[in-house]
Amino acid sequence: MPDLDWTWLAGINLLQVAIVIVAIWVIFRLLLRFWPTLKKTIALFDALGQLPAFITRTDESIIGIKKETTRNGGSTLKDAQVRTEEAVERIELGVKGLYDRADAADKEDKQLRYELEQTQSADRTTAQRK
């Protein structure tokens, strides 16, 4: 075990001990008082240190999103969306055609009913005259 030289303690007086204790107490109080600010400053520098990695991840994400929202001939979301819109337009045209045909059939049905009623009315009138 090393032999320690304790002779330096002989030169310390009570005033120096008191000053060191007060200095330690003041430093401790200042740390307690400014700890929230110090903590925020440390967090800020930590965030700034992580910023380049965050920017890289964000750039990669944006590139991926851009690839999916730009047409490339078939495999992106944009292409699927365009195909879906075109299919919906074809369905709308088909349904409109069906509505037009149904309206025309209703109109023809009304005309035939009217003609049938006129014919039946004329037959009744002729039957009543006989």
Side-chain angles (χ1 to χ4, degrees), residues 6-62:
W6 294 97
T7 57
W8 63 274
L9 287 175
I12 296 177
N13 62 28
L14 191 58
L15 179 63
Q16 291 173 334
V17 171
I19 290 174
V20 168
I21 290 173
V22 168
I24 290 172
W25 181 80
V26 167
I27 291 171
F28 180 73
R29 293 293 294 172
L30 286 174
L31 280 176
L32 283 178
R33 180 176 171 97
F34 293 110
W35 180 251
T37 306
L38 183 61
K39 204 162 109 175
K40 289 177 185 176
T41 305
I42 291 170
L44 173 66
F45 282 108
D46 185 45
L48 288 174
Q50 295 176 7
L51 187 60
F54 172 77
I55 290 172
T56 302
R57 286 192 314 270
T58 304
D59 287 346
E60 290 170 357
S61 296
I62 290 172

Side-chain angles (χ1 to χ4, degrees), residues 41-110:
T41 305
I42 291 170
L44 173 66
F45 282 108
D46 185 45
L48 288 174
Q50 295 176 7
L51 187 60
F54 172 77
I55 290 172
T56 302
R57 286 192 314 270
T58 304
D59 287 346
E60 290 170 357
S61 296
I62 290 172
I63 289 169
I65 291 169
K66 186 176 179 183
K67 284 180 183 177
E68 282 299 318
T69 56
T70 306
R71 295 190 75 179
N72 72 354
S75 66
T76 64
L77 290 173
K78 180 66 176 179
D79 292 324
Q81 179 249 338
V82 168
R83 285 192 305 271
T84 302
E85 285 179 350
E86 290 171 352
V88 167
E89 285 177 18
R90 287 192 305 271
I91 291 170
E92 285 176 342
L93 288 174
V95 169
K96 183 183 179 304
L98 290 174
Y99 278 130
D100 291 344
R101 288 176 63 188
D103 289 342
D106 282 345
K107 186 176 180 182
E108 186 179 345
D109 184 46
K110 286 179 184 177

Side-chain angles (χ1 to χ4, degrees), residues 116-130:
L116 180 62
E117 288 172 3
Q118 293 300 320
T119 304
Q120 288 175 347
S121 179
D123 287 345
R124 278 190 229 128
T125 304
T126 306
Q128 287 176 354
R129 285 188 191 164
K130 291 186 182 179

